[in-house]
Amino acid sequence: MTNWQRIFAFVSGSIVFGLLLILISNSYIQYVAEPGSTGYLFLFGFGLIFLNLNFGTSRRFTIKALDKDWVCYLMSTLTITPTIFWVYTKDVGLGEAELLFVLTVIFSAYLGSYFGIRRGIAKRQQYMQRLREDDQELPDSLKRPHDNLNQN
């Protein structure tokens, strides 16, 4: 396994981000159960937060690591696990909206990972193409200056 350090760092970071996210947002989960547009806006906000967080981490990981897409989905799972655990173990006041909230969080996290993987692959290909195009000689300022010294 050539990327085990990177995998460990990203996986442990996703656990930390998941825990941090639920600690910051646990008092706002109750607003998802509000009737009308307030509940939908809070649900949409939670969906966007999980989508964006998993998009960014998956894109960044995919740019660096080749053929490790399963790690991105593992990171998504570890990001949403604290939130789902919190919702099912605490009385957060969701009532009947509990299942809708959990499904929205799961869907948005995995959707963010899917699009993050796609965008990461595209960015990696652009980077590799730019490296191939810029494959030229070093300028004189970057060459070793001691090659032209007199031996005296």
Side-chain angles (χ1 to χ4, degrees), residues 21 46-55 79-80 83 105 108-109:
L21 189 62
F46 273 103
L48 281 179
I49 288 169
F50 280 99
L51 185 132
N52 191 22
L53 180 67
N54 288 301
F55 174 82
T79 303
I80 61 176
T83 302
V105 166
S108 62

Side-chain angles (χ1 to χ4, degrees), residues 1 6 10 16 20 42-43 51 60 73 90 92-93 97 101-102 104 123 127 134 136 140 145:
M1 190 175 231
R6 182 174 288 121
F10 274 85
V16 170
L20 179 69
F42 273 93
L43 185 65
L51 185 132
R60 188 167 172 89
Y73 293 112
K90 301 283 185 186
V92 292
F101 177 77
V102 169
T104 301
K123 294 274 271 189
Y127 177 72
D134 292 341
Q136 54 189 0
D140 290 334

Side-chain angles (χ1 to χ4, degrees), residues 67-128:
D67 299 328
K68 301 286 188 222
D69 297 344
W70 62 271
V71 177
C72 296
Y73 293 112
L74 175 66
M75 289 187 303
S76 294
T77 303
L78 294 175
T79 303
I80 61 176
T81 299
T83 302
I84 294 171
F85 183 75
W86 187 277
V87 167
Y88 281 121
T89 58
K90 301 283 185 186
D91 184 23
V92 292
L94 283 176
E96 294 178 7
E98 186 174 69
L99 181 63
L100 179 64
F101 177 77
V102 169
L103 290 177
T104 301
V105 166
I106 291 170
F107 177 73
S108 62
Y110 287 124
L111 188 68
S113 288
Y114 173 74
F115 284 116
I117 291 168
R118 290 181 58 189
R119 184 65 183 146
I121 291 171
K123 294 274 271 189
R124 182 176 58 220
Q125 288 174 350
Q126 288 175 353
Y127 177 72
M128 297 300 287

